[in-house]
């Protein structure tokens, strides 16, 4: 494979400052979208740490959940929620670009595909909430 | 180079699956675990995690978005041009997701 690679020393590289993504709002939003994945991952790791408390019994788990009611953790979860919603919305938008739905010969507009995704998201969220309430004991 | 090219579809597939899981499932879980349970809107004594089905669901919920993070974070940090070498960064990101998967499986199996 390396034989077909061009000689790197002969390639032209335009110098881009490390702050390029702060120069334009669309670049900045792109970077926020990419970084949303970090906040989602941090939330899931924290959730796993909370679940791990169950190995010390239900009291440890409840006590850990109670600690998360401090202003700092609430702010953390608010930031996570905003990033998670931004990820969902941008994901549904890009799904609409990739997933071209048709009725007969007519292509369904992207806005409608995005709206269908958002509708499915709302329904799934409601089902998870109802199942959680039904199973939590 | 050759190895990187053959494993890319795997990582991209995991990234994509993780993106779907994160988009559809994560916001409601943030509301439940980040607000509703800590603020006592909903009491959760932890009983539902005894169910194997719930644990398998949680394994998918937690592990797949880690690959989504790995893929996006790797390329975002590269794009930021911070001068961080690519190979160690890739190892940290994708390796981190694999370690996270194993830890999640271990924790959930022990509950």
């Amino acid at each position: 494979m390396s034989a077909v690679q061009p000689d790197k020393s002969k390639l032209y590289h335009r110098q881009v400052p490390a702050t390029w993504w702060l120069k334009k709002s669309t670049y900045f939003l792109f970077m926020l979208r990419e970084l949303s994945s970090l906040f989602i991952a941090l939330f899931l790791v924290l959730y796993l740490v909370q679940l791990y408390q169950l190995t010390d019994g239900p009291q440890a788990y409840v006590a850990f959940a109670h600690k998360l009611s401090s202003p700092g953790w609430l702010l953390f979860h608010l930031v996570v929620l905003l990033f998670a919603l931004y990820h969902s919305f941008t994901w549904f938008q890009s799904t609409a670009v990739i997933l071209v739905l048709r009725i007969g010969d007519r292509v369904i507009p992207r806005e409608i595909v995005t709206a269908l995704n958002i509708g499915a998201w709302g329904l799934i969220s409601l089902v998870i909430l109802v199942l959680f309430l039904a199973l939590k004991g | 180079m050759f190895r990187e090219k053959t494993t890319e579809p795997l990582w991209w597939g995991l990234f994509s699956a993780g993106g779907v899981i994160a988009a559809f499932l994560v916001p409601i879980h943030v509301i439940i675990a980040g607000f509703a349970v800590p603020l006592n809107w909903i009491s959760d004594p932890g009983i539902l995690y005894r169910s194997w089905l719930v644990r398998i669901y949680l394994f998918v919920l937690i592990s797949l978005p880690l690959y989504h993070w790995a893929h996006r974070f790797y390329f975002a940090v590269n794009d930021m041009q911070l001068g961080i070498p690519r190979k160690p960064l890739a190892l940290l990101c994708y390796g981190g997701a694999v370690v996270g998967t194993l830890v999640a499986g271990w924790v959930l199996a022990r509950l």
Side-chain angles (χ1 to χ4, degrees), chain B:
Chain B
M1 284 312 276
F2 188 67
R3 244 190 87 183
E4 273 180 17
K5 280 196 174 151
T6 52
T7 59
E8 203 182 324
L10 169 74
W11 300 118
W12 201 88
L14 288 167
F15 152 78
S16 182
V20 173
I21 296 291
F24 280 102
L25 307 180
V26 164
I28 187 65
H29 281 285
V30 177
I31 292 170
I32 294 172
F35 297 98
V37 173
L39 293 172
N40 266 326
W41 301 341
I42 301 173
S43 70
D44 172 24
I47 290 167
L48 84 161
Y49 304 109
R50 288 179 195 160
S51 153
W52 268 103
L53 274 177
V54 169
R55 285 191 248 172
I56 290 166
Y57 166 78
L58 286 170
F59 179 68
V60 173
L61 174 76
I62 293 171
S63 63
L64 283 178
L66 295 181
Y67 296 91
H68 179 77
W69 161 77
H71 205 73
R72 280 198 156 166
F73 195 72
Y74 171 67
F75 285 103
V77 172
N78 262 327
D79 288 348
M80 279 186 180
Q81 313 240 354
L82 302 173
I84 298 167
R86 280 179 174 229
K87 286 234 162 113
L89 182 65
L91 194 69
L92 179 87
C93 292
Y94 297 102
V98 172
V99 170
T101 303
L102 295 174
V103 172
W106 181 76
V107 169
L108 292 167
R110 282 184 42 150
L111 296 184

Side-chain angles (χ1 to χ4, degrees), chain A residues 95-131:
Chain A
T95 305
V97 175
I98 297 162
L99 188 77
V100 179
L101 295 180
R102 290 166 206 275
I103 297 177
D105 286 341
R106 291 181 59 194
V107 173
I108 300 175
R110 281 177 189 171
E111 291 75 22
I112 299 198
V113 180
T114 306
L116 286 173
N117 269 301
I118 292 172
W121 166 77
L123 194 67
I124 290 168
S125 300
L126 192 65
V127 168
I128 293 170
L129 182 62
V130 169
L131 279 175

Side-chain angles (χ1 to χ4, degrees), chain A residues 49-67 136-137, chain B residues 37 40 43-50 110-111:
Chain A
V49 171
Q50 189 185 345
L51 292 171
Y52 180 69
Q53 308 303 311
L54 279 169
T55 56
D56 286 336
Q59 290 90 348
Y61 171 78
V62 172
F64 190 92
H66 183 70
K67 268 193 232 163
K136 72 184 178 66
Chain B
V37 173
N40 266 326
S43 70
D44 172 24
I47 290 167
L48 84 161
Y49 304 109
R50 288 179 195 160
R110 282 184 42 150
L111 296 184

Side-chain angles (χ1 to χ4, degrees), chain A:
Chain A
M1 272 321 266
S2 58
V4 293
Q5 292 286 320
D7 183 351
K8 277 193 179 156
S9 62
K10 287 179 186 156
L11 288 174
Y12 169 67
H13 281 288
R14 196 163 71 91
Q15 285 298 311
V16 181
T19 53
W20 63 267
W21 53 282
L22 297 170
K23 302 263 156 83
K24 220 170 152 180
S25 64
T26 45
Y27 296 165
F28 181 67
L29 288 174
F30 160 78
M31 209 44 103
L32 281 191
R33 191 195 76 188
E34 300 305 286
L35 286 179
S36 68
S37 64
L38 175 66
F39 288 90
I40 290 168
L42 287 174
F43 162 73
L44 292 170
V45 169
L46 179 68
Y47 191 30
L48 189 65
V49 171
Q50 189 185 345
L51 292 171
Y52 180 69
Q53 308 303 311
L54 279 169
T55 56
D56 286 336
Q59 290 90 348
Y61 171 78
V62 172
F64 190 92
H66 183 70
K67 268 193 232 163
L68 298 181
S69 65
S70 72
W73 281 118
L74 289 176
L75 182 67
F76 167 77
H77 281 113
L78 183 66
V79 172
V80 169
L81 182 62
L82 292 175
F83 271 110
L85 289 171
Y86 189 58
H87 165 70
S88 299
F89 188 68
T90 52
W91 191 264
F92 299 149
Q93 276 182 324
S94 36
T95 305
V97 175
I98 297 162
L99 188 77
V100 179
L101 295 180
R102 290 166 206 275
I103 297 177
D105 286 341
R106 291 181 59 194
V107 173
I108 300 175
R110 281 177 189 171
E111 291 75 22
I112 299 198
V113 180
T114 306
L116 286 173
N117 269 301
I118 292 172
W121 166 77
L123 194 67
I124 290 168
S125 300
L126 192 65
V127 168
I128 293 170
L129 182 62
V130 169
L131 279 175
F132 187 88
L133 290 172
L135 298 172
K136 72 184 178 66

